[in-house]
Amino acid sequence: MNPIYKKVGVVGAGAMGRGIAQIATQAGSLVKLFDMQPEAVSKAISSVGAQWDKLADKQRLTSEQVAQYKLSLEVATQINDLADCDLVIEAIVERLDIKKSFFAELEALVQPSTVLVTNTSSLSVTAIASALKRPEQFAGYHFFNPVPLMKVVEVIAGIKTNPKICQDLSQYANQMGHQAVQAQDTPGFIVNHAGRGYGTEALRIVSEGIADFASIDRILKDQVGFKLGPFELMDLTALDVSHPVMESIYQQYYEEPRYRPSVITAQRLAGGIVGKKVGEGFYKYIDGVAQVAPEPPVPVVDNMPPVWVSTRAVRRAELLQLLKDLGAKIETGASPSSQALSIVAPLGFDVTTVAVVERLDPARTIGIDFFIDDKLTKRRVLATNPATRSDMRDAAHALFAKDGKPVSVIRDSGGFVTQRVVATIVNIACDICQQGVCTPNDLETAVTLGLGYPMGPLMMGDKFGPTEILEILFNVQTVYGDPRYRPSPWLRRRGAIGLSLSHVES
């Protein structure tokens, strides 16, 4: 292999630096690993060597490759050892003052042609470069942990970065077996920016008393196909990592409501309940296994009331067919009888609002989230309003669970759970495109590889319908009066005229 950068310095012997050193060596570069603590470098190199030995045992590397890699990964005992490197990648503490000071010192040692890059996840590349005499030779190069497995790299241009530098860094990422995406120097770049919707909206739902952590995780995994629920994910990444990112992006965007953090994570971080690594987060862990309370049992209902379905229900024909398949006695009048269970299926609105607008008895009214085709989900979600009678709630739960599909019953919420979380994710992604942070294609690639979503957020919007997403946001904003839910101009315009969000004409 003939790598673009023959000699590469990696600064920082933590997990991130260790991973970068591993893949850079495998790309054919001579790599020098430096850290202010020499013993950390020795441990890191031993750890990487052990990883290569394991890959050889699994016959994924040859013994000759491993021997060559070990010869190509060297200890840099002092910063001066990096002077002859073509590229130096910094992966040290996430503090602007320390990074600026370090790069100013490093720039004075290396050749004028040397490219300097930072692995920062949340700091401004331009701000770090402001301390340099050659900011055109500086860029962001953001890897994700664990580096050998997370195959996406964000290449970030500062205001003065030479575009050729970003092209070369992208090509080098490909040589390391990773997929490069190019981003403008904006808070959170692509992945951390696009990821603001999932966790923060789930936290908001909890803060409103709508559902508990486990219920929200179950709903989003079973209805949308996320591999991890938002609270499982935050436990895995740990709040001492994820909460500061939430605050950083919110503050850097001058308190943009779409990125508003939650007091829930702030309190838990202050109390040290940060996640799986300490044995307790949103879940408690025993031997690394989350302790999750079982779901409530399906109620036993002897006398099932007749069912009336709102004429304004989304996917009404499909909902009526489902009720027939479940054996419900369906009323077909213009309004429900005094004994009927009234079913509403709104987009964005809460059950209370629909009951009032449609002049339904709220005591007998239940909402169902029919935003996604029932055949494509593994769970049904019902919502009560503050006046819903317990017998009507139990009847609806028992009826919709008749075929064995799990049912979650939540409290009233504009947009249930899935609607508002999906709409928030799609809306933020659309605004990333509106701001020109990256191309739609790079956005989709970065999110699917960096966040593990079942599909890119723009494709998610296309799948569930840009017009429907737009309606959800308008209606949720009406319910809550919060500018957090205002639609991005990108979504509003494309959704209004029926254009795809993910396939954009050049």
Side-chain angles (χ1 to χ4, degrees), residues 210-253:
I210 291 163
D212 59 25
F213 307 132
S215 295
I216 293 170
D217 280 350
R218 290 183 183 115
I219 289 168
L220 290 168
K221 289 190 295 183
D222 290 351
Q223 286 207 317
V224 188
F226 289 102
K227 294 176 184 176
L228 293 173
F231 300 103
E232 292 173 322
L233 181 60
M234 284 186 276
D235 269 1
L236 184 62
T237 57
L239 292 183
D240 55 346
V241 174
S242 57
H243 182 78
V245 172
M246 293 182 202
E247 289 193 329
S248 174
I249 292 176
Y250 178 63
Q251 290 162 2
Q252 287 183 75
Y253 268 107

Side-chain angles (χ1 to χ4, degrees), residues 313-484:
V314 65
R315 299 181 187 272
R316 186 170 187 268
E318 297 168 33
L319 179 53
L320 285 168
Q321 185 59 54
L322 172 62
L323 288 166
K324 289 178 184 177
D325 295 342
L326 294 173
K329 180 181 177 182
I330 300 173
E331 291 189 358
T332 57
S335 59
S337 69
S338 59
Q339 292 78 40
L341 167 65
S342 298
I343 303 292
V344 298
L347 287 179
F349 283 123
D350 56 3
V351 179
T352 300
T353 299
V354 176
V356 171
V357 170
E358 298 190 23
R359 298 184 178 181
L360 303 174
D361 180 357
R364 294 183 291 109
T365 302
I366 289 278
I368 183 169
D369 188 355
F370 235 57
F371 168 51
I372 301 174
D373 187 340
D374 185 70
K375 298 183 184 66
L376 302 179
T377 69
K378 297 179 181 178
R379 177 176 297 272
R380 298 185 183 114
V381 178
L382 305 176
T384 61
N385 68 75
T388 303
R389 292 192 334 228
S390 60
D391 61 323
M392 291 290 130
R393 178 198 64 213
D394 291 347
H397 188 169
L399 174 61
F400 283 104
K402 256 190 173 182
D403 59 358
K405 184 174 282 193
V407 172
S408 292
V409 182
I410 64 174
R411 295 186 180 89
D412 208 359
S413 166
F416 297 88
V417 171
T418 293
Q419 291 181 25
R420 59 193 287 184
V421 170
V422 167
T424 300
I425 290 171
V426 173
N427 194 37
I428 288 174
C430 287
D431 216 52
I432 289 174
C433 293
Q434 182 69 43
Q435 293 177 35
V437 174
C438 62
T439 65
N441 186 60
D442 274 0
L443 171 63
E444 297 292 272
T445 299
V447 171
T448 50
L449 293 177
L451 295 176
Y453 286 3
M455 66 196 82
L458 300 177
M459 188 176 292
M460 192 181 294
D462 282 343
K463 178 178 180 179
F464 299 134
T467 304
E468 286 74 14
I469 297 290
L470 193 58
E471 182 177 350
I472 290 167
L473 289 167
F474 278 136
N475 293 342
V476 171
Q477 189 178 15
T478 298
V479 171
Y480 290 107
D482 191 336
R484 172 184 180 84

Side-chain angles (χ1 to χ4, degrees), residues 132-147:
L132 302 179
K133 295 178 180 178
R134 298 187 296 274
E136 68 277 3
Q137 290 292 113
F138 185 82
Y141 211 31
H142 181 212
F143 293 81
F144 295 81
N145 237 341
V147 176

